[in-house]
Amino acid sequence: MDGIHDLGGKPGHGEVVVEKDEPAFHSRWEAAVFAMEAAGIAAGVWTNVDRFRHAIERIDPIAYATHGYYGRWLGGIENLLVEAGVVTRESIDARMEKMGGSLQDLVASRPNLVPDPVGDEPAGRGSSRVVNRKPKFATGDLVMTSRKAKSGHTRLPAYARGKTGAVVLTHDAWVYPDSNAHGQGEDPQYLYTVQFTGSELWGAGDENIKVSLDLFEPYLSAVDGRKLS
Amino acid sequence: MTDHDREPQAIRAEALESLLIEKGLLTADAIDEVIVRYSERVGPMNGARVVARAWIDPDFKQRLLEDGTSAINEFSFEGGRIEKLVVVENTEKVHNAVVCTLCSCYPWAVLGLPPRWYKDPQYRSRIVREPRTVLKEMGLDLPADLEIRIWDSSAEVRYMVLPQQPEHSLGKSEQELAQLVTRNSMVGVESL
């Protein structure tokens, strides 16, 4: 989905701020949120990273931009816990008020009223799968990415849509996030690292820049069977 | 308590934490363990050991560049499963840097948890579009004829940069070299 999370190439963002001697966590609550992710998996509430990533993409966009990394995680985790019926939004609100919070504050989570099916989501198997077909592309092939925007989860960023690049690395078939995130099965697909020139992506500029992305086979089509010269 | 602890998301996190502890889904010990693991055991010191070995052992370096996933198994690092690690080498002609524009994917097992700047919109939006400018702002002024390759981690492959060994460090031991290798050099936003 073309959400606020899809940041590649978006204009208007300023200088990168580097914090000196940054700790792993800035506050205990950040570590608590980190631990909740493992707790949710242990409880069987979610078992795949695609569903988890999509839950974060679905949070309030203003919260996404302002609540920080663990604030985004909190929103995603709350989405999944509420959708699974483990907690209710009201119970979190009530506890928060008791602990000195205000109900006027922006809440990141936006749980779906009709959640995606959980489906068959075996945990802990990793993402690589064996499939009974050959990959369509090989190293050096020129490929074009899909032009279509998707309403659900996808790992083709908007900035790389409708662009021509060259396959530089090939990988095994991996669980397809666009399907797996929505409880529609693993549907494993071959994965390729595709390299684009900066000018192909951005229209002009520095010819000495290459950007590579890891893209699933359904995102790609052949460009006249051509090879990279 | 700092101001950061009283941000609305901090209070909501604590509220959810207390509910999950009551339900038996979370424990205070699990939270403490996360802090210790990522403060003391899983961090860029692991990647630094990999880089130091690659600098002194050409056979290891070759294995690392050909199949990073198998090469780092020699170290038995804990935490943060990496499905496939690709190590990209900085040379006289090519400089590499890593990003995840869609979320914040990062090779946890070798570099630990990502720093805040890696997860912030500024880096994620700009490094793919104007890498030379962003790197210069971060203190890395690269010559115009040096090719820059950005690796956007859009699936489960994880990337780590093998920085060039500084000349002044030639002849040092593997342990001494590991002390020189910084996190930012392994993400590709710093040269050593």
Side-chain angles (χ1 to χ4, degrees):
Chain A
M1 60 187 250
D2 285 356
I4 193 170
H5 68 283
D6 189 355
L7 281 162
K10 295 282 157 61
H13 293 285
E15 285 200 18
V16 177
V17 179
V18 178
E19 181 182 336
K20 207 169 177 297
D21 300 322
E22 185 178 339
F25 298 100
H26 291 79
S27 300
R28 185 179 167 82
W29 75 265
E30 295 186 342
V33 169
F34 189 94
M36 283 177 202
E37 197 252 351
I41 291 172
V45 175
W46 60 88
T47 57
N48 82 63
V49 70
D50 303 310
R51 180 181 291 270
F52 186 71
R53 288 198 184 113
H54 188 51
I56 292 173
E57 294 167 1
R58 294 190 278 116
I59 69 170
D60 181 275
I62 306 300
Y64 191 99
T66 56
H67 283 192
Y69 180 70
Y70 292 105
R72 302 197 285 269
W73 272 44
L74 174 67
I77 287 167
E78 188 179 325
N79 275 346
L80 293 171
L81 289 172
V82 169
E83 287 167 5
V86 173
V87 288
T88 62
R89 191 179 178 109
E90 293 70 28
S91 66
I92 307 171
D93 285 347
R95 184 64 56 94
M96 192 182 74
E97 216 176 5
K98 211 169 133 189
M99 295 171 81
S102 163
L103 293 182
Q104 306 305 312
D105 287 327
L106 176 63
V107 172
S109 126
R110 292 281 179 273
N112 282 340
L113 294 176
V114 184
D116 284 329
V118 172
D120 175 28
E121 297 184 357
R125 289 177 54 207
S127 302
S128 181
R129 299 286 182 272
V130 175
V131 296
N132 189 22
R133 61 177 186 274
K134 289 193 162 55
K136 281 187 189 163
F137 307 110
T139 303
D141 285 356
L142 287 182
V143 291
M144 182 183 237
T145 55
S146 167
R147 286 197 173 84
K148 274 190 280 184
K150 283 192 176 179
S151 58
H153 184 64
T154 186
R155 299 297 288 183
L156 174 61
Y159 81 89
R161 285 203 298 253
K163 305 293 183 188
T164 298
V167 174
V168 293
L169 292 172
T170 59
H171 308 283
D172 297 333
W174 291 28
V175 170
Y176 189 39
D178 303 42
S179 171
N180 200 40
H182 295 285
Q184 293 166 356
E186 295 190 337
D187 189 21
Q189 301 288 343
Y190 283 104
L191 183 74
Y192 306 89
T193 302
V194 183
Q195 190 179 74
F196 303 87
T197 62
S199 52
E200 170 69 7
L201 294 175
W202 311 115
D206 195 331
E207 280 301 320
N208 251 342
I209 289 169
K210 304 268 172 38
V211 179
S212 300
L213 295 97
D214 297 325
L215 301 175
F216 292 89
E217 199 164 76
Y219 304 160
L220 306 173
S221 55
V223 178
D224 304 324
R226 277 191 292 152
K227 287 270 182 187
L228 185 66
S229 56
Chain B
M1 287 225 176
T2 64
D3 288 338
H4 184 57
D5 284 321
R6 302 326 292 164
E7 288 168 347
Q9 60 269 35
I11 301 173
R12 196 163 187 89
E14 288 160 8
L16 184 55
E17 174 192 333
S18 72
L19 288 170
L20 293 177
I21 286 175
E22 285 170 14
K23 288 176 186 296
L25 291 170
L26 187 65
T27 63
D29 284 351
I31 300 168
D32 292 336
E33 165 57 20
V34 158
I35 295 172
V36 172
R37 184 190 308 146
Y38 288 100
S39 301
E40 295 174 10
R41 301 199 302 273
V42 183
M45 60 286 204
N46 292 343
R49 288 175 58 201
V50 175
V51 169
R53 187 166 300 174
W55 282 348
I56 61 159
D57 180 345
D59 292 338
F60 175 74
K61 179 177 162 182
Q62 192 180 346
R63 289 201 300 280
L64 183 68
L65 295 175
E66 282 173 1
D67 181 357
T69 323
S70 303
I72 66 159
N73 279 340
E74 299 174 22
F75 293 86
S76 305
F77 296 135
E78 80 167 272
R81 180 192 172 91
I82 293 184
E83 299 262 351
K84 184 163 184 175
L85 180 71
V86 173
V87 178
V88 289
E89 184 186 16
N90 284 349
T91 67
E92 296 296 327
K93 292 182 175 166
V94 176
H95 180 89
N96 297 279
V98 180
V99 66
C100 171
T101 63
L102 288 172
C103 42
S104 300
C105 298
Y106 192 75
W108 289 3
V110 280
L111 298 187
L113 298 178
R116 195 181 267 179
W117 61 260
Y118 184 87
K119 303 175 284 195
D120 280 346
Q122 291 91 332
Y123 183 76
R124 286 166 54 195
S125 63
R126 295 179 61 214
I127 194 72
V128 290
R129 188 167 195 148
E130 42 177 349
R132 217 174 285 276
T133 307
V134 171
L135 293 174
K136 189 172 178 182
E137 288 170 4
M138 295 179 82
L140 184 57
D141 195 0
L142 299 172
D145 61 351
L146 187 71
E147 180 178 319
I148 298 178
R149 291 184 191 161
I150 303 297
W151 303 84
D152 187 352
S153 320
S154 50
E156 298 307 316
V157 179
R158 295 290 170 266
Y159 293 91
M160 186 180 93
V161 174
L162 176 60
Q164 283 187 285
Q165 182 173 1
E167 276 191 23
H168 66 78
S169 71
L170 291 169
K172 287 187 190 289
S173 71
E174 188 174 330
Q175 286 73 21
E176 288 169 327
L177 290 172
Q179 298 296 318
L180 300 176
V181 182
T182 62
R183 169 175 64 201
N184 287 5
S185 72
M186 294 181 279
V187 185
V189 299
E190 183 185 358
S191 285
L192 298 173

